[in-house]
Every structure is written in C-alpha cells, then in structure tokens.
C-alpha cells in the first residue's frame, strides 16, 4: 500500500484527473457556458471525478491507466487508419474488439458528489492575520457544536440529530477546499434533505469562510500534534509581515524557494547561531523596533504559530519551513540538537540509499536531507505528507 501511494504513475494519474477537470471548467467558463459562484467559475455537474478512491483501490487505478492507454492507442489507430488505406478496415475492426477487452474502471469508484465550488481555490496561502480572524469567527459561530478543540463535543452537540464530525483529524484535508467553502456557506443536509449543519452564507463573507478554513486546518494540525506527535498532513506556514533591522519590511512568503527557520523568541532567550543552510527569522508576540536580523513581530504571527504547534505559547520552539512554504519540523522542547526525527510531516519511506550514503554528520543536516528528499506532493487524495 505504502509503495502504491509512493508510485509516481499513480500520483501523475490523480493529479492529471484534477487538472484535466479544472482545465475543462476554465474552458467552459472562457466560452461563457458556465457562470461564477463565490467569485470563481461554477462546476456545472453534480458529480466530479476524484482520484482519492484510486489510492484505496489500486485495481481501479490500474484499470483507469489501462483505459487511458487504450484511448491513446485508439486515437493513434484512427490516425493511422485514415492514412493507411489497405490496413484501414483491419485496424478499424480491431478497435471494438480491443474496447471489449480493456478493463474499464468502475464509474462509481471514480465519481464523487460535487458542489458548484468543488474546484474553487483559496484566494491565497493562509496568513497569520486570517488564521487569527478565523479563530475568532470559530469561537463566535461554531464552537457551540464543534467544541473548542474541533472534536465535535460542543455544548449543543448532544441535541443534534447528526453529530458534528471530528475536525481535529485529517478530515479537512480529505475534502476539496471549495467543497468546505460551499458547505460552510450553504450548510449540509442528510439523505432525506433535512438540514444537519446550518448555512452561514448570510453571516460570513467568502473571505471569512476561507479564513475559517485556514484556522480550522491550523487548529487540526495543533490537535494532531498533541495527540500523535506528528502533523500527518501538510501544514502551510501562515504568512506574516517581517521587519528587518535595515528598516525594510517584507513577507515571510518572500523567502519561498529557501529554507526558513522560525525561532519563537521570548524575552531574554538565547538565540541559535546563524546557519548557512537556513534563513533565520524570529517571531515575537509584541511590536517594537528590530535591532538585528529580521523579525515577524505581531500577536497574530505568534498566535498562528501557537495554534499549529498545539500549545498556548510557542516560546522557545523552533520550526523549519521547506522551500515550498510548508512547515515541516519543530524542535524538540527537551533536546537542543535537531535530528531527522523532528520532521513532523513526512512519508514513512526510509531515506533512499543515495540520500543515506551522503548522510551529513550533524542532526540538522540529516533533517534537511530527509526533508528535501521527501517534498510535499499533490496533497489532495490522502497523501500522508
Ligand atoms: C448547530 C450546530 C453546528 C454549528 C453551529 C456549526 N456546525 Fe459544522 N457541522 C455540524 C454538523 C451536525 C455537521 C455534520 C453534518 C453532516 O455530516 O451532515 C457539521 C459539519 C461540519 C464540517 C464538515 C463538512 C464536510 O465537508 O464534511 C465542517 C468543516 C464544519 N461543520 C465547520 C463548521 C464551521 C466552520 C462552523 C462555524 C462557522 C460550523 N461548522 C458551525 C454542526 C454545526
């Protein structure tokens, strides 16, 4: 199973299904055949194709790959038949026979219910300010059913016909972001059409709903870390403004492409020495002038970090962000040295032999080697990191 998840062709197939549908939607929109909903092109069908089930049913994935290969060969055969007079009838007669022999995938394994927002993309990567705003909205509108930790044990939960699901696990990553947006704005119903979760479209703007989604994911990351010591799902660094001692301001995301080390620096804390393999940025809760290096100084940056770390205060912790902007490692609160065990979001595959033979001597080097060797890949569809 693990090997199957890692298989390149399977990832390509799943990513391809997603991008082909998105391309189709964009083409329909460009032709004026579909309109907008919540600011983006509306998916016009009640179903969509999803690769997620292929991860569970490898047999279906093989069938789909065979079917696609057949379609490609059939197209080629048609082209050849058109040009090659003498072989034409022979080739054309082969096609229906081959079509019968091909193991077509089960439509029900590929088809999942869709909402008009299924292919909506978030307006941007999460920001610390958005996460904090989402947290406040959650406390205002959602906590009575979903509970402060998202496990679904709010005071009102027991009186509901359908219990709220556990939002403190991987559920939010299994859903398309756009479906989450749709469910928040339009509510949810059971099979008989009775409302199970209220709609918030009259109270929340789309920006509020996206902020809530980012906040719920950050909260779930923190809860997973508390429960299992791992993030288990890819966690994006929430962006925040940074002030540098030279007077310039920039965004945390402006270092995308480089590895970043965030140091949650409390007053009087000794700062780690610079390391050429990483850019170090301190995060502090208050504001005030920056005298050295670069700092994300804001209550929001601090609080967003506390949320993903599952602590009340991240003071003294360090985090490593990979080149793609994913938070990947948190320093151990008890050990001063890094090791590749600090990687909180990884595939369980051991490092490849090439990476292992070039293993650097120190713990941070080992961690970086493993992080770089296992980048976060296509994240919809149950990938573990
Ligand atoms: C009155 C209780 C109640 C309130 C208030 C409420 N929810 Fe829910 N929520 C539910 C129930 C019940 C379900 C499960 C519904 C179902 O599966 O049919 C649910 C499901 C969800 C889901 C899972 C959706 C999915 O795609 O499976 C998310 C996410 C969610 N709620 C977020 C929120 C957020 C965010 C708020 C606040 C803006 C909120 N809920 C407010 C009761 C509530």
């Amino acid at each position: 199973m693990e090997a199957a998840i890692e298989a390149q062709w399977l990832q390509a197939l799943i990513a391809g299904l997603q991008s082909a549908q998105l391309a189709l939607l964009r083409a329909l929109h460009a032709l004026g055949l579909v309109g907008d909903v919540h600011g983006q092109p509306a998916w016009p069908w009640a179903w969509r194709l999803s690769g997620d089930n292929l991860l569970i049913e490898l047999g279906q994935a093989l069938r789909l790959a065979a079917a696609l290969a057949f379609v490609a060969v059939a197209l080629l055969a048609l082209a050849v038949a058109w040009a090659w007079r003498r072989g034409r009838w022979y080739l054309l007669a082969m096609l229906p026979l081959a079509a019968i022999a091909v193991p077509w995938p089960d439509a029900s394994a590929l088809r999942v219910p869709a909402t008009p927002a299924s292919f909506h993309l978030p307006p941007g990567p999460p920001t610390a300010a958005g996460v904090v705003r989402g947290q406040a909205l959650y406390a205002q509108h959602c906590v009575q059913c979903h509970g402060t930790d998202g496990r679904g044990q709010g005071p009102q939960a027991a009186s509901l016909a359908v219990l709220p699901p556990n939002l403190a696990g991987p559920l939010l990553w299994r859903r398309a972001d756009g479906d989450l947006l749709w469910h928040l704005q339009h509510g949810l119903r059971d099979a008989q059409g009775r409302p199970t979760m209220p709609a918030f479209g009259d109270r929340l703007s789309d920006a509020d709903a996206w902020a809530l989604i980012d906040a719920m994911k950050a909260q779930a990351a923190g809860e997973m870390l508390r429960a299992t010591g791992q993030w288990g799902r890819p966690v994006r660094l929430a962006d925040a403004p940074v002030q540098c001692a030279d007077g310039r301001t920039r965004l945390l995301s402006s270092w995308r492409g480089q590895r970043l080390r965030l140091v949650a620096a409390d007053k009087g804390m000794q700062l780690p020495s610079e390391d050429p393999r990483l850019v170090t940025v301190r995060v502090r809760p208050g504001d005030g002038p920056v005298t050295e290096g670069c700092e994300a100084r804001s209550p929001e940056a601090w609080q967003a970090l506390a949320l993903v770390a599952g602590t009340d205060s991240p003071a003294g912790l360090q985090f490593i962000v990979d080149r793609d902007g994913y938070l990947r490692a948190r320093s151990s609160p008890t050990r001063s040295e890094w090791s590749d065990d600090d990687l909180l979001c990884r595939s369980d595959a051991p490092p490849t032999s090439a990476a292992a033979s070039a293993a650097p001597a120190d713990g941070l080097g080992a961690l970086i080697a493993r992080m770089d060797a296992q980048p976060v890949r296509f994240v919809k569809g149950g990938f573990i990191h």
Side-chain angles (χ1 to χ4, degrees), residues 256-271:
R256 190 70 46 83
Q258 284 170 281
R259 299 182 205 101
L260 208 58
R261 172 170 56 176
L262 299 179
V263 180
D266 220 356
K267 273 192 228 65
M269 182 186 137
Q270 204 190 344
L271 296 173

Side-chain angles (χ1 to χ4, degrees), residues 107-123:
S108 62
L110 286 176
R111 235 171 38 162
V112 295
T115 69
S118 283
F119 288 91
H120 279 33
L121 300 172

